[in-house]
Amino acid sequence: MSNDMAASNPSSSSAGMGLEAASQKKYLKWYNKVGYGLGDVAGNVVYALLSAFVMIYLADTAGLNPGVVGTLMMLSKVFDGISDMIFGTLLDRTNTRMGKARPWMLWAYVGCAVLLVAIFAIPPSLGDFAKYTWFFIAYTLLNAVFFTANNIAYSSLTALITRNKDERVQMGSIRFMFAFTTNMLIQTFTVGGVMLFGGGAGGWRNMAIVYALIGLAINTLSVYSVKELSPEELEGENNGPEEDKLPLLESAKILFSNKYYLIILVIFLLTQIFTAMLNMGIFFMKYVLGDERLLGTFAWAINVPLVIGLMITPYIVSKYGGMYRINILGYIIAVAGRLGVLVAAYMQNVPLMLAFSAVASLGMSPLQGTLNALIAEASEYTWLRTGKRIDGLLFSCTSLGVKIGSGLGTAASGWLLQMSGYHANMEVQPDSAIQMLYVMYVWLTLGANVIILLLLTRLDRPFQGTGRCHGFRWKCRSAKLEPCQLAYVRVTHAITFSTPWPPIPRTPTAPPHQRPTPVPRNSPPQNTATCNSQVPTTTPRICATSLPGSAIPACAFHMSDQPHTTTPSVHPRRQHRPP
């Protein structure tokens, strides 16, 4: 991330020092990290079961129209979009002995478990209208209320239980290792489990009950395996502003002014659309490849490389740094892999499809392991830029992207199936339906990965340009500077400043005895100190500078994480005018 900004935030200098210390301190034991990761097992019990099997259950068992189901899912997302910001704001206002996020995570999952069973327990004796109503109410309450509250709280824990950037990356990797393992196991055993319970409506209902009980137990274990940091520890002692109880509209304005939040939000949405289209695999295996049991085989080919990639992602990020470049390289591999799947699918070559699916999943794994770290550090960016903490609202990015993406993908699959002439339980589908299954399973997944790759390059663009800070012109190609040296250049005088300098109050002019002593242009830098090189790599580097004994307040220069040297530049006729 990079941004040209000169801000007079009085906490910038001290915040930078606090972040440096926090990035070195260890907050978590191994069992805390594992316990945190288990939370995504519970979340994926709900998410994976719905995304992979709800459409085929509703179409082939409940006898509902896929197109109508898709429309109901989209209507449900209207409530989802509203509830995300509401629950994010409520979390920011929560203050209990358990912390901000853990109470929401614990009690919201009770509703998730009950409603998950309700969705897969539609009574066969009901009429079609009653079935649609039952599904819509249960699906909306699950997603817009209980899953929202649980998922926002769980995602927020990344920023609330540690300030160490390496631990955040590790937490993200462990979390998604559990998530994809859970997804793989559910796709492998669900069809067999439904048949074991007798098949039909009763089989689906009993399978949902088993999953709900498992998820409830694991979610509770996850909640009590971690402990949130105190507000003072989160902000650093005397290094940041106290958390404000901001109105919803003001919080939303701050949130959507962060362009990196918006990019990450779209990436979340696209990854979930990709997953929703990939979850149409059960239709593809059944009607194109002729064996629905292949779904379990493909689940292993897709998820095992993801888990392996997630295991090595923290090491790669720690060893080589720059998670942006690792993510971009990974998605180049992912796009190539999905292109191979497309070619192999038209060849009807199952082994080749499995191989390319594994390659694509391995390439996708770094982003999956660092998404939560990106959000956590975007949260720090918002605080450094505005002096406000809105962690809960910002982390609604996760829930909002997951739910809108998965809902849109699942709904679109229903619409496309209906448009293609799909008929439930027909052994041989019409050619139009077969071609549509190709579009969903291989073409749309490839397109989603291409767009994600383009968005990732937007997160990695180094800053280049000029600007002004209280009358001084400056120019730099941004850098990960160790030490960081930003030069203010005044005609023939050059002085280098860097953190930590205390902010100087803004005054109309500086008395003569407070003005800086002129320094020859080519003299060695003065007052040089090491800039905060420990700021998380996705957060722009902060050099909060001020001139001692002058009227110039602190200026915060934000830079990206690319190794380079700052190059000061000044217009030869530019004179300093006091702010």
Side-chain angles (χ1 to χ4, degrees):
M1 298 178 184
S2 61
N3 187 32
D4 56 320
M5 181 183 72
S8 56
N9 185 350
S11 63
S12 295
S13 298
S14 54
M17 297 179 66
L19 284 171
E20 181 174 6
S23 65
Q24 297 173 346
K25 180 179 177 180
K26 301 297 183 182
Y27 294 85
L28 304 175
K29 304 292 186 181
W30 68 269
Y31 50 82
N32 300 128
K33 300 172 187 176
V34 172
Y36 171 81
L38 286 173
D40 231 1
V41 174
N44 272 270
V45 165
V46 175
Y47 170 72
L49 187 63
L50 286 177
S51 60
F53 296 105
V54 71
M55 185 61 73
I56 201 166
Y57 160 74
L58 294 173
D60 289 5
T61 302
L64 301 182
N65 185 304
V68 176
V69 170
T71 302
L72 292 177
M73 288 180 171
M74 283 305 301
L75 290 176
S76 176
K77 295 307 164 186
V78 174
F79 300 98
D80 267 356
I82 298 173
S83 67
D84 272 275
M85 297 191 69
I86 292 175
F87 279 108
T89 303
L90 288 175
L91 189 146
D92 284 330
R93 294 169 178 264
T94 300
N95 185 19
T96 70
R97 287 183 298 176
M98 290 182 65
K100 290 179 173 292
R102 294 166 68 221
W104 290 100
M105 180 179 170
L106 177 64
W107 297 111
Y109 200 87
V110 176
C112 291
V114 172
L115 291 167
L116 180 66
V117 175
I119 289 175
F120 286 92
I122 300 176
S125 59
L126 295 179
D128 285 349
F129 180 79
K131 289 181 180 178
Y132 287 125
T133 304
W134 179 296
F135 166 73
F136 179 74
I137 293 174
Y139 185 82
T140 302
L141 286 175
L142 172 61
N143 285 279
V145 180
F146 295 102
F147 188 76
T148 293
N150 174 267
N151 195 57
I152 289 177
Y154 177 64
S155 298
S156 297
L157 285 177
T158 307
L160 296 175
I161 65 177
T162 180
R163 299 180 67 209
N164 186 297
K165 67 184 181 66
D166 292 329
E167 287 183 337
R168 286 174 175 172
V169 172
Q170 293 168 7
M171 289 166 61
S173 294
I174 293 172
R175 168 186 179 174
F176 284 105
M177 284 170 57
F178 280 111
F180 290 117
T181 300
T182 304
N183 188 63
M184 176 180 66
L185 294 176
I186 286 179
Q187 291 189 34
T188 301
F189 295 114
T190 297
V191 174
V194 170
M195 296 177 65
L196 183 65
F197 283 118
W204 284 105
R205 181 188 63 246
N206 293 334
M207 199 70 218
I209 292 173
V210 171
Y211 283 143
L213 293 175
I214 293 173
L216 190 59
I218 293 177
N219 182 77
T220 304
L221 177 62
S222 178
V223 168
Y224 286 102
S225 67
V226 296
K227 182 179 180 181
E228 296 181 29
L229 301 176
S230 66
E232 294 77 16
E233 179 71 10
L234 283 171
E235 295 178 353
E237 185 176 358
N238 298 321
N239 282 336
E242 293 184 3
E243 184 153 349
D244 295 280
K245 303 294 190 266
L246 300 175
L248 178 60
L249 291 179
E250 184 179 351
S251 298
K253 183 178 179 180
I254 294 174
L255 183 71
F256 288 104
S257 67
N258 187 337
K259 64 181 179 180
Y260 305 115
Y261 167 88
L262 299 178
I263 293 176
I264 295 171
L265 177 62
V266 175
I267 290 175
F268 257 109
L269 187 146
L270 288 171
T271 56
Q272 298 309 313
I273 291 178
F274 170 89
T275 302
M277 291 295 117
L278 200 65
N279 284 332
M280 294 303 294
I282 190 168
F283 290 91
F284 193 87
M285 309 306 160
K286 183 176 181 179
Y287 296 111
V288 177
L289 300 181
D291 186 1
E292 60 187 307
R293 292 174 298 179
L294 284 172
L295 180 66
T297 305
F298 273 85
W300 282 80
I302 291 169
N303 288 286
V304 169
L306 274 172
V307 173
I308 294 173
L310 289 169
M311 291 174 65
I312 63 176
T313 292
Y315 170 78
I316 295 175
V317 171
S318 176
K319 177 74 173 178
Y320 299 104
M323 68 176 77
Y324 294 137
R325 278 169 169 65
I326 294 172
N327 287 336
I328 291 173
L329 177 60
Y331 257 82
I332 291 174
I333 296 172
V335 169
R338 292 310 302 180
L339 185 60
V341 171
L342 185 149
V343 174
Y346 281 101
M347 296 170 56
Q348 296 277 303
N349 190 323
V350 173
L352 202 58
M353 286 184 67
L354 291 169
F356 280 116
S357 295
V359 171
S361 295
L362 187 63
M364 293 169 59
S365 59
L367 179 63
Q368 299 298 328
T370 57
L371 266 176
N372 248 35
L374 291 177
I375 300 171
E377 293 173 0
S379 176
E380 296 287 352
Y381 170 77
T382 296
W383 173 48
L384 289 169
R385 186 172 62 89
T386 66
K388 309 293 183 182
R389 296 205 73 98
I390 52 169
D391 298 309
L393 188 57
L394 192 142
F395 268 89
S396 66
C397 169
T398 306
S399 181
L400 184 64
V402 166
K403 292 187 305 180
I404 292 180
S406 61
L408 180 61
T410 306
S413 66
W415 296 334
L416 294 174
L417 282 176
Q418 183 66 23
M419 291 169 53
S420 69
Y422 170 83
H423 296 283
N425 292 317
M426 284 185 59
E427 292 188 6
V428 180
Q429 293 291 335
D431 186 64
S432 59
I434 297 299
Q435 293 305 315
M436 185 60 73
L437 290 174
Y438 273 103
V439 169
M440 289 188 286
Y441 190 71
V442 295
W443 283 101
L444 293 182
T445 52
L446 174 61
N449 274 0
V450 171
I451 298 174
I452 290 172
L453 175 59
L454 295 177
L455 290 174
L456 288 174
T457 62
R458 300 294 298 178
L459 287 177
D460 192 47
R461 292 181 64 184
F463 171 78
Q464 301 181 60
T466 61
R468 292 186 177 91
C469 180
H470 302 296
F472 290 105
R473 291 173 58 89
W474 58 272
K475 178 180 180 181
C476 75
R477 180 179 176 87
S478 58
K480 179 180 180 181
L481 302 173
E482 300 182 30
C484 174
Q485 297 180 3
L486 282 178
Y488 283 65
V489 183
R490 283 181 55 190
V491 191
T492 59
H493 301 142
I495 301 179
T496 301
F497 316 102
S498 57
T499 53
W501 288 117
I504 306 299
R506 188 188 298 260
T507 57
T509 185
H513 67 278
Q514 291 185 359
R515 293 174 185 171
T517 303
V519 180
R521 172 184 290 273
N522 297 321
S523 65
Q526 296 184 357
N527 299 326
T528 301
T530 301
C531 180
N532 175 25
S533 61
Q534 298 297 326
V535 176
T537 54
T538 54
T539 303
R541 293 297 176 273
I542 304 297
C543 283
T545 68
S546 63
L547 181 58
S550 79
I552 305 174
C555 302
F557 287 84
H558 287 237
M559 298 174 289
S560 73
D561 61 348
Q562 304 309 315
H564 206 277
T565 302
T566 8
T567 305
S569 175
V570 67
H571 193 283
R573 298 179 181 177
R574 179 67 181 175
Q575 297 291 333
H576 169 57
R577 296 181 178 89

